[in-house]
Amino acid sequence: MHDNVVKFVIWICKRFDRKKVQAISDKLLEILNDPNSEIQPKDTFKEDHPNYRKFNVDPEPPLKEKPGRKKKRKNSGKNF
């Protein structure tokens, strides 16, 4: 990635004079510093977290006791 940035900077410098490069730099800084700018930098969150919120919810509620075990009845002390 760093190599691509260097190549891009070289490309800009070859195509524009000093004043235009300064204007490009100023505009980029303005965009980066203003969170409400119309132009937003690419958000890499989805690339960094590809499985975010990609899951299925089990429609069955969780078990309240282990399978195969019967519920124990409490003995209240009274035998009928």
Side-chain angles (χ1 to χ4, degrees):
M1 181 178 137
H2 178 70
D3 192 38
N4 290 339
V5 173
V6 172
K7 287 179 183 179
F8 182 65
V9 169
I10 292 170
W11 181 85
I12 288 174
C13 290
K14 284 183 177 181
R15 300 221 175 8
F16 299 102
D17 62 9
R18 183 177 281 281
K19 286 183 181 180
K20 291 198 179 192
V21 171
Q22 183 63 45
I24 292 168
S25 173
D26 292 343
K27 190 63 178 176
L28 287 172
L29 288 173
E30 179 184 323
I31 290 168
L32 291 174
N33 291 329
D34 183 8
N36 299 322
S37 175
E38 291 179 14
I39 304 169
Q40 289 294 318
K42 180 180 175 182
D43 185 11
T44 60
F45 183 84
K46 288 182 180 179
E47 290 176 12
D48 295 341
H49 306 89
N51 296 319
Y52 181 72
R53 292 197 177 187
K54 288 185 181 178
F55 59 88
N56 296 322
V57 177
D58 189 359
E60 299 293 323
L63 299 174
K64 295 191 179 198
E65 57 185 52
K66 293 183 181 179
R69 293 185 84 179
K70 293 184 180 181
K71 235 182 185 179
K72 290 184 179 179
R73 297 177 79 185
K74 290 186 178 181
N75 188 355
S76 62
K78 297 179 183 176
N79 293 331
F80 293 101

